[in-house]
Amino acid sequence: VSPDGFSILGVAEIENTKVLEDLVAQPGLANRHLKIVHYDGPDDRSIDPALIYNPRYFIVKQSQSLFVRMANPDGSLHYTRDVLWVSGLYDGEMVHVFVNHWPSRRGGEEASAPGRAIAAGVSKHIIDSLAETDPNVKAIVMGDLNDDPVSPSITKVMQAKGEKEDVKAGGIYNPFTKFYKQGLGSMAYNDAWSLFDQIMISYGFLDQKQKGFFYQKAAVFNRDFMIQKTGRYKGYPLRTYDGGVYNHGYSDHFPTYIVLLKEKQ
């Protein structure tokens, strides 16, 4: 799609800044001079969301690691992943990016749902505040949400819509809703596909006649070389480890992406 590859990449399950520095220094990427935003967050497993970006297209103006306040049954704090909020100039336009990794479904989907609702509310609260000043604010919410596009955290808390025409000023569009209803997934568990890896955009990206960036398309990136060919995970994304055995893979999730365009002046 672009000869320079991605302009903004959200990543999850990052143990430390060094692994990101090693990644952007790889021969295939080094000449892009990619930059990193990463905070060492409070998660019990010591994994964080982070952002990698190409400074040719995106200039960071501010960033913040937003605490997701959850409680254990005894009232003590439960530490999950922060939400990474990065604001910057995307080819001169202010864009707010939220990188998420919401609480898992450990203990069951229904029992764990309140945690994901709390995490969803962190980004939503800020986007609502920004939209009060500018209904056309440009915000991108991305990540491993551990919920599908039809889950309450997304339809009720984020109030994301699966159809562009249903999105009002200040609202959120989720292009992955259609993919989910078509049976397309980004990860598999017990031979059932889920679409936990989503990218949602605010109303400001929907007008295709504007001078700034607008939404063109979305996709799940699932090329053949990324698919397990044998064994118990045949047909699944080619994971890095199979139990304790190194599997020479990439991830047990497929990446997702969106394409933004603007008129060339």
Side-chain angles (χ1 to χ4, degrees):
V1 176
S2 165
D4 275 344
F6 65 82
S7 52
I8 296 172
L9 175 70
V11 290
E13 298 201 6
I14 301 304
E15 285 189 285
N16 52 62
T17 305
K18 181 67 165 61
V19 296
L20 298 173
E21 292 171 345
D22 288 348
L23 176 62
V24 302
Q26 292 299 307
L29 295 174
N31 63 356
R32 297 182 190 173
H33 306 291
L34 300 169
K35 303 290 187 183
I36 296 160
V37 182
H38 170 250
Y39 291 87
D40 191 17
D43 178 69
D44 289 334
R45 290 164 59 200
S46 298
I47 56 173
D48 311 303
L51 190 79
I52 302 174
Y53 65 95
N54 189 330
R56 286 186 61 186
Y57 306 103
F58 189 62
I59 299 171
V60 171
K61 290 299 182 182
Q62 73 90 23
S63 65
Q64 194 173 341
S65 196
L66 304 172
F67 185 58
V68 178
R69 183 170 291 276
M70 293 173 58
N72 293 310
D74 64 1
S76 61
L77 282 175
H78 174 76
Y79 294 101
T80 185
R81 277 76 62 177
D82 281 0
V83 175
L84 178 61
W85 174 24
V86 182
S87 301
L89 295 176
Y90 193 49
D91 200 24
E93 241 182 317
M94 180 56 70
V95 171
H96 302 271
V97 182
F98 298 86
V99 188
N100 296 259
H101 184 188
W102 294 353
S104 76
R105 293 189 169 193
R106 187 174 299 162
E109 177 184 350
E110 190 173 337
S112 59
R116 290 186 294 282
I118 292 169
V122 172
S123 301
K124 176 63 171 158
H125 173 72
I126 293 174
I127 293 170
D128 285 350
S129 298
L130 295 168
E132 284 182 12
T133 306
D134 178 13
N136 290 309
V137 63
K138 291 190 168 177
I140 301 170
V141 180
M142 66 169 83
D144 174 2
L145 308 183
N146 275 306
D147 261 341
D148 288 310
V150 296
S151 299
S153 59
I154 294 165
T155 59
K156 294 183 179 178
V157 180
M158 298 296 299
Q159 297 178 17
K161 308 296 184 184
E163 300 290 342
K164 289 185 203 172
E165 51 269 26
D166 294 335
V167 183
K168 304 292 191 290
I172 295 172
Y173 171 58
N174 188 355
F176 289 88
T177 304
K178 289 179 182 176
F179 294 142
Y180 178 73
K181 290 180 177 178
Q182 292 166 1
L184 191 62
S186 61
M187 62 160 291
Y189 180 71
N190 286 344
D191 293 332
W193 284 90
S194 298
L195 188 43
F196 289 174
D197 305 274
Q198 300 164 55
I199 306 170
M200 295 176 271
I201 54 175
S202 62
Y203 173 83
F205 283 109
L206 298 184
D207 178 11
Q208 295 193 342
K209 293 186 171 65
Q210 64 180 294
K211 289 185 178 179
F213 277 101
F214 60 84
Y215 167 79
Q216 187 209 18
K217 67 177 182 178
V220 177
F221 192 80
N222 54 1
R223 300 297 188 264
D224 184 68
F225 70 89
M226 302 162 67
I227 298 172
Q228 179 84 31
K229 299 298 192 297
T230 59
R232 59 176 173 163
Y233 295 121
K234 184 178 180 181
Y236 288 25
L238 184 60
R239 59 187 60 214
T240 310
Y241 279 91
D242 182 352
V245 179
Y246 187 67
N247 197 37
H248 298 274
Y250 305 96
S251 172
D252 57 347
H253 294 237
F254 290 133
T256 54
Y257 69 90
I258 62 170
V259 178
L260 302 172
L261 297 179
K262 80 172 186 179
E263 184 180 353
K264 188 174 181 181
Q265 301 301 316

